[in-house]
């Protein structure tokens, strides 16, 4: 099992606060001999709907000495996980969870904004100390 990011528990708790039910921790997807582990899977049933919404969340802390290296890793994982989900669970949507301070600084750079646009990243911006989701970016 891969090591969990330092803010894994904070994001998990933030999802629970928003009435999400954690269904896997981690979500394991196998495609032949390739095994992938996405940090969290969650579902939310809406009272007005019969069908629920399913998500997968890759949590990133961006605390290493190189934020661009963290971004390369996060982007690569996001793209691979999105492909795997399209193959195995096409009704589940993948999100990359990013801490608020990183979102307000590094994620405002033009290069990162363009990557988000080109690769169609879906983001969950979270406040790790409050264990809250600040924003969902589709």
């Amino acid at each position: 099992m891969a090591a969990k990011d330092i803010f894994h528990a904070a994001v998990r708790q933030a999802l629970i606060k928003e009435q999400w039910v954690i269904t896997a921790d981690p979500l394991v997807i196998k495609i032949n001999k390739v095994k992938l582990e996405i940090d969290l899977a969650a579902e939310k049933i809406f009272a007005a709907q019969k069908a629920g919404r399913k998500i997968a969340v890759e949590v990133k802390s961006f605390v290493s000495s190189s934020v661009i290296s963290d971004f390369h890793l996060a982007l690569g994982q996001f793209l691979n996980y999105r492909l795997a989900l399209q193959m195995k669970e096409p009704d589940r949507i993948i999100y990359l969870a990013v801490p608020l301070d990183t979102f307000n600084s590094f994620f405002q750079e033009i290069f990162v904004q363009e990557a988000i646009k080109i690769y169609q990243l879906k983001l969950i911006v979270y406040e790790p100390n409050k264990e809250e989701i600040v924003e969902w970016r589709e």
Side-chain angles (χ1 to χ4, degrees):
M1 178 182 291
K4 294 180 179 177
D5 270 74
I6 61 171
F7 297 139
H8 179 95
V11 173
R12 180 186 169 98
Q13 186 59 35
L15 288 167
I16 291 170
K17 283 182 179 177
E18 291 205 354
Q19 308 302 311
W20 287 90
V21 176
I22 305 300
T23 57
D25 183 0
L27 172 62
V28 178
I29 297 177
K30 290 183 182 177
I31 301 173
N32 294 334
K33 294 181 180 177
V34 176
K35 179 182 170 188
L36 303 166
E37 293 186 4
I38 305 173
D39 287 325
L40 296 168
E43 294 182 18
K44 191 171 197 176
I45 304 296
F46 297 97
Q49 300 176 343
K50 293 285 183 192
R53 183 173 175 212
K54 295 180 178 179
I55 63 171
V57 180
E58 181 60 21
V59 179
K60 289 297 170 206
S61 304
F62 292 92
V63 294
S64 80
S65 60
S66 173
V67 71
I68 191 70
S69 292
D70 287 347
F71 183 67
H72 291 316
L73 177 63
L75 178 60
Q77 286 180 306
F78 180 92
L79 294 174
N80 286 333
Y81 295 165
R82 182 169 63 193
L83 175 60
L85 287 172
Q86 288 170 350
M87 295 172 73
K88 291 291 189 172
E89 293 191 41
D91 60 335
R92 192 176 296 277
I93 300 169
I94 180 96
Y95 286 86
L96 178 65
V98 179
L100 180 60
D101 62 341
T102 302
F103 180 79
N104 285 337
S105 55
F106 180 72
F107 272 66
Q108 300 310 308
E109 295 290 334
I110 291 172
F111 176 79
V112 177
Q113 288 290 313
E114 191 66 16
I116 291 168
K117 180 179 166 187
I118 294 294
Y119 297 113
Q120 301 174 346
L121 298 181
K122 296 183 181 300
L123 303 175
I124 295 173
V125 181
Y126 65 94
E127 170 41 68
N129 295 326
K130 295 180 181 175
E131 298 180 335
E132 292 179 351
I133 293 172
V134 176
E135 183 176 359
W136 294 77
R137 304 233 29 188
E138 303 291 331

